[in-house]
């Protein structure tokens, strides 16, 4: 290899390009002495570098020797700074040619020994005092098991100071904004139980962890010198950020239901594969990592683009936001691609663009979340308005029903009493009795219908549940006796001895429920028979009420519908009824924290089982207050 040409330091250029005068040699064993390195260079074994970086990959046992030759012109300042900008190096030695041609050595020691560096700074910087005119040779020996590339910079004093302050400011700002964004998202995710914020917080934590390790702060702060931690921490951070971002996107975009499960699987596979490949490429051969990063960055540009176009074309809501979610990765990926093509070479530009993109991204994601919140809040207000309108309408309806019932009851009472009067006045005339009976039966039927409508109305209006201590055993006996008094063809038997003396419930509603069940049993057993009501308390403290009859039964297909409003089976179409009783019964059971089920065999009879929870708060009639409205 040809010797690197000397770099002219003319002073008008505070940051001269190092290209063309920088050369390097890898010492795979790490045993090479300075004398041997000099000999290697003199015999032309060093490689010239095109850019300003030495990309060496990981060197678990070796070191890299880098040679500069600097030629200061008379007008140029004498003090210069040689800075090693980004990567974290384990060991660094600087050999500077002295006026007499000998070499003085400065040692950098292992892992940021601050005292031995020229300046208290995140990266390495050595002050060069180039008093002598003409070419000065400098050798740097860098050993690292964690470094990926070694970027060099050469500045005059004042430019270097500006650079150092600028970088501190930009990195400080980056971590500052990230910390604020993280705290905000973490707080929101806990307070609003919003998983979208949770994923955002995880994403920020992931990239912060990666940067904290990658930019050298991790061991600068003396946390650990452990190689594995140092090498894997950035990957773990990036993988974490990746997982969080993918789930963020899945959560953010309103995907079609059918697709969502498949997407979850795909997202999990992508993330697991990504993590495995990073681990593999670092464990098996760290040298393939640069290749992996370049190809991954290509994917990062194209996948979001294709996915966005696809989602937008299919009309999925927020499809375009896909690109927003991946924005800095696309910027970073483009930079990496540009770097691999030699279009971007300055570490400083690269770093700044990356930090800016990351900060911009977190702010953007936050804006997206807030925008979504605003939209959800708008929807909530709209819904509340619609609910209040519906409630108002229901109240009107309910009022109308009550008015109608009241108005109809009076004429009904007049018809009933007058028909009784008519029957009494004509008690000798037997022919009128059947008509009077028919009139009274119809009146009773109409009254029953009105009663049921009113019960349903009561259930759907406010303040429907008025719990108080109830003696359920006594209530059951009373209702059974009442229903028994209306029939001679049926025998109602009750077993309610094991019930607690008092339970918490709404006695009025429980009465409606028991009456419905027993009257149905009577009603739908036209040939008479036994009706057995059993009430018990089970091991878990639930109350079970069974009503069994030997009536017409219910066909299997109808069993799932009998609790619906106005549903009636084909078998009973000729019998009087409106299909509201079981609907009301189920609602009452639910208000008591329970439910109702039915087993039946057509032509043999039915068994209705009601479960009630004693502790009403377990029921689904009440909802725990919640802040959750963002998801
Ligand atoms: P209704 O009795 O007014 O028709 P319900 O809601 O009480 O209304 O009952 C709904 C339907 O369920 C009834 O029409 C009937 O077909 C069926 N059903 C209810 N209870 C029984 C029972 N004990 N035996 C057979 N069928 C029943």
């Amino acid at each position: 290899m040809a010797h690197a040409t000397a770099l002219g330091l003319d002073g008008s250029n505070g940051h001269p390009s190092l290209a063309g005068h920088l050369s390097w040699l890898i010492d795979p064993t790490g045993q090479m002495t300075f004398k041997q390195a000099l000999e290697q260079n003199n015999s032309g074994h060093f490689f010239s570098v095109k850019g300003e970086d030495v990309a060496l990959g990981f060197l678990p046992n070796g070191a890299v020797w880098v040679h500069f030759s600097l030629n200061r012109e008379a007008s140029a300042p004498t003090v210069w700074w040689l800075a090693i900008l980004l990567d974290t190096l384990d060991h660094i030695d600087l050999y500077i040619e002295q006026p007499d041609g000998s070499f003085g050595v400065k040692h950098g020691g292992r892992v940021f020994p601050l005292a031995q560096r020229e300046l208290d700074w995140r990266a390495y910087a050595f002050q060069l005092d180039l008093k002598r005119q003409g070419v000065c040779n400098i050798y740097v020996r860098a050993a690292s098991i964690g470094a990926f590339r070694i970027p060099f910079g050469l500045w005059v004093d004042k430019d270097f100071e500006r650079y150092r302050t600028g970088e501190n400011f930009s990195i400080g700002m980056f971590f500052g904004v990230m910390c604020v964004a993280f705290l905000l998202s973490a707080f929101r995710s806990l307070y609003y139980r919003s998983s979208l914020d949770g994923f955002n917080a995880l994403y920020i934590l992931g990239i912060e962890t990666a940067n904290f390790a990658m930019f050298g702060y991790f061991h600068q702060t003396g946390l650990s010198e452990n190689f594995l931690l140092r090498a894997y921490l950035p990957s773990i951070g990036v993988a974490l950020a990746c997982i969080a971002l993918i789930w963020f996107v899945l959560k953010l975009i309103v995907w079609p239901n059918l697709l969502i499960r498949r997407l979850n699987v795909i997202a999990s596979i992508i993330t697991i594969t990504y993590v495995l490949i990073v681990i593999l490429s670092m464990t098996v051969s760290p040298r393939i990592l640069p290749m992996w990063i370049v190809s991954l960055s290509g994917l990062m540009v194209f996948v979001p683009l294709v996915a966005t176009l696809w989602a937008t074309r299919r009309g999925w809501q927020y499809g375009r936001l896909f690109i927003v979610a991946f924005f800095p990765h696309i910027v970073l990926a483009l930079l990496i691609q540009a770097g691999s093509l030699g279009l971007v070479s300055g570490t400083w530009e690269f770093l700044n663009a990356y930090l800016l993109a990351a900060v911009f991204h977190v702010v953007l994601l936050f804006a997206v979340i807030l925008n979504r919140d605003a939209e959800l809040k708008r929807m909530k207000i709209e819904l509340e308005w619609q609910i209040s309108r519906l409630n108002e309408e229901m109240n009107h309806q309910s009022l109308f029903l009550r008015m109608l019932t009241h108005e109809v009851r009076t004429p009904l009472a007049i018809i009933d009493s007058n028909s009784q009067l008519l029957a009494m006045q004509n008690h000798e005339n037997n022919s009128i009795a059947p008509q009077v009976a028919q009139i009274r039966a119809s009146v009773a039927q109409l009254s029953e219908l009105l009663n049921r409508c009113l019960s349903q109305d009561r259930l759907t209006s406010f303040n429907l549940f008025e719990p108080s201590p109830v003696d359920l055993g006594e209530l059951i006996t009373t209702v059974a006796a009442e229903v028994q008094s209306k029939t001679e063809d049926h025998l109602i038997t009750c077993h309610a001895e094991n019930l607690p003396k008092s339970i918490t419930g709404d006695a009025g509603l429980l009465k409606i429920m028991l009456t419905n069940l027993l009257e149905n049993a009577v009603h739908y057993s036209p040939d008479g028979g036994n009706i057995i009501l059993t009430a018990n308390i089970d091991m878990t403290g639930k109350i079970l009420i069974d009503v069994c009859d030997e009536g017409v039964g219910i066909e299997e297909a109808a069993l799932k519908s009998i609790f619906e409003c106005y549903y009636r089976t084909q078998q009973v179409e000729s019998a009087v009824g409106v299909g509201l009783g079981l609907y009301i019964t189920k609602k009452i059971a639910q208000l008591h924290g329970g439910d109702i089920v039915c087993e039946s065999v057509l032509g043999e009879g039915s068994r209705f089982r009601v479960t009630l929870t004693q502790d009403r708060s377990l029921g689904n009639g009440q909802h725990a207050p919640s802040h959750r409205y963002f998801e």
Side-chain angles (χ1 to χ4, degrees):
M1 283 295 139
H3 279 287
T5 50
L7 175 69
L9 306 177
D10 63 4
S12 60
N13 184 357
H15 178 188
S17 166
L18 295 173
H21 59 276
L22 184 71
S23 59
W24 59 282
L25 179 78
I26 282 189
D27 162 21
T29 59
Q31 302 297 321
M32 195 182 281
T33 60
F34 174 56
K35 212 166 143 235
Q36 288 166 331
L38 265 181
E39 282 163 17
Q40 291 284 333
N41 193 18
N42 290 336
S43 47
H45 286 126
F46 271 51
F47 294 86
S48 278
V49 179
K50 289 222 177 64
E52 296 176 358
D53 298 358
V54 177
L56 68 158
F58 291 82
L59 289 172
N61 305 308
V64 65
W65 285 90
V66 185
H67 170 228
F68 306 88
S69 54
L70 309 174
N71 184 12
R72 187 178 72 82
E73 283 175 11
S75 61
T78 53
V79 176
W80 291 76
W81 284 92
L82 176 66
I84 301 168
L85 294 169
L86 188 68
D87 275 322
T88 49
L89 300 168
D90 286 326
H91 197 102
I92 193 154
D93 299 317
L94 187 73
Y95 296 85
I96 306 169
E97 197 177 4
Q98 303 297 307
D100 60 2
S102 66
F103 279 87
V105 59
K106 286 181 175 185
H107 294 290
R110 189 177 162 74
V111 188
F112 291 103
L114 295 177
Q116 290 189 43
R117 280 189 295 136
E118 299 276 357
L119 197 77
D120 182 12
W121 193 39
R122 180 182 64 80
Y124 287 92
F126 293 98
Q127 200 179 49
L128 306 174
D129 201 352
L130 304 175
K131 286 203 186 71
R132 196 182 69 141
Q133 271 198 34
V135 175
C136 172
N137 285 299
I138 293 171
Y139 287 83
V140 175
R141 178 186 180 274
S144 169
I145 43 176
F148 182 49
R149 53 208 275 274
I150 309 181
F152 289 97
L154 195 63
W155 281 276
V156 293
D157 208 16
K158 73 171 186 333
D159 286 348
F160 176 67
E161 194 50 41
R162 200 183 312 142
Y163 176 87
R164 199 174 66 92
T165 327
E167 201 210 56
N168 278 348
F169 174 76
S170 119
I171 291 187
M173 195 197 74
F174 169 79
F175 279 112
V177 173
M178 287 303 199
C179 278
V180 171
F182 170 75
L183 289 177
L184 268 177
S185 272
F187 167 75
R188 285 171 53 91
S189 67
L190 292 177
Y191 189 73
Y192 295 119
R193 291 184 229 162
S194 148
S195 52
L196 195 66
D197 276 286
F199 285 126
N200 196 30
L202 200 66
Y203 171 68
I204 301 170
L205 193 68
I207 40 179
E208 274 200 285
T209 308
N211 290 336
F212 187 66
M214 273 193 291
F215 292 163
Y217 290 101
F218 172 60
H219 46 286
Q220 189 181 7
T221 46
L223 279 176
S224 170
E225 288 190 18
N226 184 307
F227 162 64
L228 276 182
L229 253 183
R230 179 146 64 98
Y232 283 100
L233 207 64
S235 304
I236 292 171
V238 172
L240 202 70
C242 230
I243 298 172
L245 192 63
I246 287 175
W247 287 96
F248 182 96
V249 171
L250 286 186
K251 194 90 203 156
L252 179 78
I253 300 176
V254 183
W255 304 92
N257 272 347
L258 261 179
L259 209 66
I260 193 80
R261 207 176 308 155
R262 261 184 254 161
L263 280 172
N264 286 351
V265 175
I266 294 172
S268 310
I269 293 175
I270 292 178
T271 345
I272 291 170
T273 321
Y274 171 79
V275 176
L276 284 182
I277 292 179
V278 170
I279 291 175
L280 257 179
S281 59
M282 289 186 79
T283 324
V284 178
S285 168
R287 277 155 215 269
I288 64 170
L289 203 64
M291 218 172 69
W292 160 247
I293 289 181
V294 169
S295 44
L296 185 78
S297 72
L299 275 181
M300 274 296 209
V301 176
F302 289 109
V303 172
L305 272 180
V306 171
T308 310
L309 289 177
W310 187 37
T312 312
R313 217 181 104 78
R314 299 296 285 270
W316 295 330
Q317 212 185 338
Y318 303 124
R320 66 199 175 280
L321 289 182
F322 206 80
I323 208 140
V324 170
F326 283 101
F327 168 76
H329 304 272
I330 295 171
V331 171
L332 185 63
L334 284 172
L335 280 171
I336 290 174
Q337 297 293 333
S340 72
L341 294 172
L343 299 175
V344 181
S345 63
T347 307
W348 181 228
E349 290 86 337
F350 194 91
L351 176 73
N352 264 348
Y354 166 70
L355 293 182
L356 259 178
V359 166
F360 184 66
H361 190 224
V362 164
V363 173
L364 206 65
L365 290 189
F366 216 72
V368 166
I369 295 182
L370 291 183
N371 184 42
R372 205 178 99 125
D373 284 3
E375 206 170 304
L376 286 178
K377 271 185 193 155
R378 266 200 304 278
M379 276 162 65
K380 195 177 163 232
I381 292 173
E382 166 93 352
L383 268 177
E384 276 172 357
W385 181 74
Q386 282 186 5
I387 289 173
S388 74
R389 248 194 50 202
L390 273 175
N391 276 338
E392 216 170 281
E393 269 175 30
M394 272 169 64
N395 280 347
H396 281 150
Q397 260 189 22
S398 166
L399 211 66
F400 173 73
L401 189 74
R402 264 175 254 162
M403 189 267 294
L404 190 76
T405 320
H406 183 258
E407 293 301 313
V408 172
R409 261 187 217 281
T410 320
L412 274 183
I414 295 171
I415 295 172
D416 194 44
S417 51
N418 279 338
S419 53
Q420 278 184 60
L421 206 64
L422 220 63
M424 269 160 48
Q425 283 168 356
N426 299 284
H427 65 275
E428 292 108 25
N429 185 356
N430 279 344
S431 63
I432 204 171
Q435 278 96 327
V436 169
Q438 219 173 4
I439 292 171
R440 294 204 64 203
S442 303
V443 167
Q445 197 181 325
L446 258 178
S447 304
E448 172 67 11
L449 182 69
L450 289 178
N451 282 343
R452 290 202 173 193
C453 286
L454 274 182
S455 333
Q456 205 233 342
D457 180 56
R458 196 187 147 207
L459 281 170
T460 45
S461 52
F462 299 109
N463 300 328
L464 46 103
F465 192 79
E466 286 153 16
S468 60
V470 182
D471 183 345
L472 187 63
E474 194 189 294
L475 188 73
I476 286 175
T477 323
T478 316
V479 174
E482 268 176 35
V483 178
Q484 180 69 80
S485 69
K486 294 184 207 157
T487 171
E488 283 169 4
D489 302 334
H490 305 84
L491 178 65
I492 302 177
T493 324
C494 285
H495 302 286
E497 303 80 24
N498 297 331
L499 288 179
K501 193 78 202 104
S502 139
I503 66 158
T504 307
D506 184 319
L509 293 180
L510 286 173
K511 187 171 180 194
I512 294 176
M513 181 183 88
L514 292 167
T515 313
N516 277 345
L517 288 174
L518 284 176
E519 281 188 347
N520 274 356
V522 169
H523 209 159
Y524 302 118
S525 305
D527 302 332
N530 287 313
I531 296 168
I532 303 170
L533 192 157
T534 327
N536 258 315
I537 181 160
D538 78 355
M539 308 266 283
T540 63
K542 281 194 171 141
I543 290 166
L544 308 175
I545 305 172
D546 287 350
V547 178
C548 303
D549 65 55
E550 301 166 347
V552 293
I554 302 164
E555 59 182 343
E556 212 183 322
L559 275 178
K560 61 178 187 319
S561 311
I562 51 173
F563 300 105
E564 287 167 15
C565 211
Y566 306 119
Y567 182 86
R568 310 198 68 219
T569 62
Q570 279 170 359
Q571 286 78 35
V572 303
E573 262 166 7
S574 55
V576 175
V578 281
L580 272 177
L582 286 182
Y583 172 73
I584 293 171
T585 302
K586 189 176 170 98
K587 278 210 153 193
I588 296 174
Q590 284 174 341
L591 281 168
H592 286 81
D595 207 350
I596 178 169
V597 286
C598 172
E599 286 169 9
S600 185
V601 178
L602 201 60
E604 288 184 20
S606 314
R607 188 186 76 157
F608 286 85
R609 165 164 287 193
V610 176
T611 357
L612 305 177
T613 308
Q614 282 192 73
D615 178 4
R616 219 297 268 177
S617 61
L618 297 174
N620 47 9
Q622 229 174 27
H623 300 286
S626 164
H627 292 299
R628 186 188 171 109
Y629 62 90
F630 289 111
E631 296 307 312

